[in-house]
Amino acid sequence: MNIDRQRLLVLGATADIARAVAREFAAHGCAVEMAARNPDALQRECQDLRLRSGVEVRGHVYDVLHVEDDARLLHALAENFPGTTICAIGLLHPQRECSANVALAAEVMHSNYTAPARVLEQIAAIYRQAGAGCIIGIASVAGDRGRAANYSYGSAKAGFAVFLSGLRASLQGTGVRVITLKPGFVRTRMMQGRQTPAVLTAAPQELAVRLFRLYDSGANGVFYYKRIWRPIMWLICLLPERLFMRLQL
Amino acid sequence: MSIPPGTRTKLCGFGRYPTITGRLVAARDRAELSAVLQAEPSLIARGNGRSYGDAALNADCVVSMLGLNRFVDFDAATGVLVCEAGILLAEILQVMVPRGWFPPVSPGTQYVTVGGMVAADVHGKNAHRDGTFGQYVEWLELMQQDGTIKRCSRTRYPAWLHATIGGMGLTGVIVTVAFRMIAIRTAWIHRELYTAVGLGAAMELLDRHAGRHYTAAWVDCHARGKALGRAVLFCGEHAEVAALPPGTAALHIPQRWTATVPLTPPCSLLSGFCGRLFNELYYPLNRLKVRQQLVDYQRFFYPLDAITGWHRLYGPRGFCQYQCVFPDATSHRGVRAVLQAQAASGQASPLAVLKRLSAGSGLMSFAMPGYTLAMDYVASESTFTLFRSLDAIVAEHGGRIYLAKDSRADEIAAGYPVEQFRHFRKAVDMRFNSLLAERLRL
Ligand SMILES: Cc1cc2nc3c(=O)[nH]c(=O)nc-3n(C[C@H](O)[C@H](O)[C@H](O)COP(=O)(O)OP(=O)(O)OC[C@H]3O[C@@H](n4cnc5c(N)ncnc54)[C@H](O)[C@@H]3O)c2cc1C
Ligand SMILES: NC(=O)c1ccc[n+]([C@@H]2O[C@H](COP(=O)([O-])OP(=O)(O)OC[C@H]3O[C@@H](n4cnc5c(N)ncnc54)[C@H](OP(=O)(O)O)[C@@H]3O)[C@@H](O)[C@H]2O)c1
């Protein structure tokens, strides 16, 4: 398959983080393939990006929970397959609701882990065969240690992060990279209604700038944003379980 | 459709006076916006909070429009840009300047939203010649309380358009705006500076340069007697390619020196600083008589934007701006009386901006043919006392004050068609409401 290095595939293109990332890549001349589940919102984002950047932008209606959407998407991309894929799909519901409703909990787990892993595995196969490509997965600091406040979401993100690290290892030496990005707090729709400390909170644009730099420098590995989250999570992971439970972090 | 949850937070305008604790709800598309509007009994739209006072404040619910920030369409044949109302002027400039397009009207900061520019019918340095922003609006989409959208233009729902331009968010929420841009060949402005020894000379200079694309004057508010109203006049024209030094990329936006004020000092530092700035400009220039320079558009239009948070230098109490306009017939007397009164009050503003305006394009527009004067003060009781005496001068001379800058007046009926506006609001919807509207009984 023909891989186009100057083309980006965005899964979950209507996510606030995805919009910022798409804009940043487009500003550097990348064509963008936008995949998202809400057709109206998708169309608006595509038009916005086209007008802002002047690059080629195409939209694909895609719901990661619909298995049959994979084939349609991959087929539509086949001619000029984007050399970089970012997955920004994520779903967060309050733990209370997840605990009370196992179907909802399952949806959260699928949306954050099993479903994105399913499609990324297929894309990785294409890259592996072509001997080039870059996969960027957005995991979360919430996946580093299970908290009472969001363990359905957190455990799925943990699974996703482990999937990405395994994928990275398996692609070693093939010319394919995998970047795991673990954001802390980012000011997006997902965080609406929550007050978070300013020093730990990033704007989607800053994250996008940092991510493009990582991508551009040939990075391959796990990265936090903001960077302060790496030592914070390292410390949190070091806490003995008893202490961690008592602290109710 | 789920309703986005709000955040309880401190809210204020650019002057940080007044500050309230309120609920801020962010909508990111029209479906969410419509859900919010249907659920909330009282609310006001908020752009980027660059109005100085309480225009974008409501005790129950404030709806942030910053998430509706998409480009929708651009027609290079007509220059008409269609965009969502929450987009920042700064973003438009960044995208459109390199393609050779410029906003038809631009306020003194680029960190305003298009919705805010319509709602305040803003004026720029070309107001003497080209009018206000509302004039360039081809149509806009206005969302009503039931979540439905009216597309208002000069032919469809013209009364709605008229009331919404300058309507301070009180007629509904502006969702989309289509406006005409102007073509430019470079990102540079040919600037000329002149000095005027007193107020008469300053106004005469502004009149003499009325043919220029952009004009504005800085007035030294500390000067008294004969020197009252001494000023530096700025004129500008969009530069042609031939005027640029060879090798300059004509439409490239130059990188800019920027800084951030890290914290609010315990007292105002700005008065002394601005006074010195003025003198440093005035005296050397006064010997030269005129100085010509090529400056990039950011330095010309938005000099203060380079310093993020500069207004914090006014100290913890916040500050207020007094901006008024006098009709042509009384302009000279009115401006002189205001400058005298504030110099005599012993708390003169460091600087005032003096400009010529022409008519605004909305029912409640601030602009009218005549001179406008704008001055900043630290918020305090004595400032408010001074403002009340300035109000009397404004009323006596048939002028009006600018709602986008106001945070404390208790009466504006003499200057605006308030009855007519209130009538319109009552007929349609009183749920769009702000602290400003309550205070002034709009
Ligand atoms: C440094 C500085 C310089 C300035 N210079 C000038 C100048 O030269 N000329 C001038 O005219 N003004 C000037 N202003 C004032 C500024 O242009 C106006 O106050 C403008 O309205 C601010 O836009 P905003 O997006 O920040 O709106 P906000 O301050 O958030 O809101 C202002 C008003 O607009 C309404 N509004 C905002 N968005 C919408 C929407 N989508 N739908 C309905 N209503 C809405 C709000 O309800 C409110 O009444 C200046 C301000 C600053 C801070
Ligand atoms: N914000 C933070 O603080 C933070 C922190 C750590 C990690 N993250 C992660 O960052 C990523 C982006 O999130 P965000 O903050 O930008 O929030 P967001 O705007 O809510 O993004 C989540 C996106 O996932 C999409 N999505 C959910 N289920 C889907 C499905 N079945 N099929 C297709 N798309 C689906 C949503 O689509 P719709 O637009 O149609 O709803 C939405 O665009 C997520 O993976 C999130 O978990 C965010």
Side-chain angles (χ1 to χ4, degrees), chain A residues 32-48:
Chain A
V32 183
E33 306 278 356
M34 311 262 276
R37 60 179 171 176
N38 177 334
D40 291 342
L42 172 65
Q43 203 262 332
R44 270 198 304 272
E45 295 312 339
C46 288
Q47 179 66 354
D48 174 61

Side-chain angles (χ1 to χ4, degrees), chain B residues 286-427:
Chain B
N286 205 19
R287 287 196 296 275
L288 268 166
K289 291 301 172 206
V290 52
R291 193 157 89 200
Q292 309 198 5
Q293 283 168 315
L294 213 51
V295 295
D296 68 73
Y297 76 88
Q298 304 204 62
R299 268 177 68 198
F300 185 77
F301 289 101
Y302 321 112
L304 289 168
D305 284 352
I307 308 168
T308 308
W310 61 268
H311 57 296
R312 295 168 80 177
L313 295 176
Y314 270 105
R317 278 188 298 189
F319 68 113
C320 304
Q321 185 170 91
Y322 196 86
Q323 180 167 10
C324 57
V325 58
F326 294 99
D328 270 331
T330 59
S331 270
H332 282 70
R333 270 181 292 135
V335 170
R336 182 172 299 274
V338 165
L339 285 175
Q340 273 166 345
Q342 65 101 39
S345 75
Q347 42 175 340
S349 164
L351 268 187
V353 176
L354 179 68
K355 262 213 59 59
R356 252 201 87 83
L357 301 181
S358 55
S361 50
L363 180 59
M364 292 290 283
S365 288
F366 165 68
M368 62 160 95
Y371 280 89
T372 177
L373 195 65
M375 300 159 290
D376 289 340
Y377 302 86
V378 173
S380 72
E381 258 325 303
S382 51
T383 295
F384 297 146
T385 310
L386 167 65
F387 280 15
R388 277 191 288 276
S389 67
L390 300 184
D391 287 344
I393 297 172
V394 171
E396 184 193 326
H397 292 84
R400 55 170 78 127
I401 59 167
Y402 193 5
L403 299 181
K405 307 287 177 75
D406 179 51
S407 51
R408 50 83 237 170
D410 37 43
E411 187 56 60
I412 57 148
Y416 285 93
V418 172
E419 263 321 305
Q420 209 184 331
F421 186 64
R422 198 176 296 164
H423 189 74
F424 182 87
R425 280 188 71 205
K426 281 211 176 107

Side-chain angles (χ1 to χ4, degrees), chain B residues 101-135:
Chain B
W101 296 94
F102 205 73
V105 165
S106 150
T109 169
Q110 54 185 323
Y111 299 116
V112 295
T113 65
V114 168
M117 288 170 73
V118 174
D121 193 17
V122 299
H123 55 269
K125 290 190 167 74
N126 55 342
H128 58 290
R129 208 186 83 161
D130 304 331
T132 52
F133 189 72
Q135 222 161 294

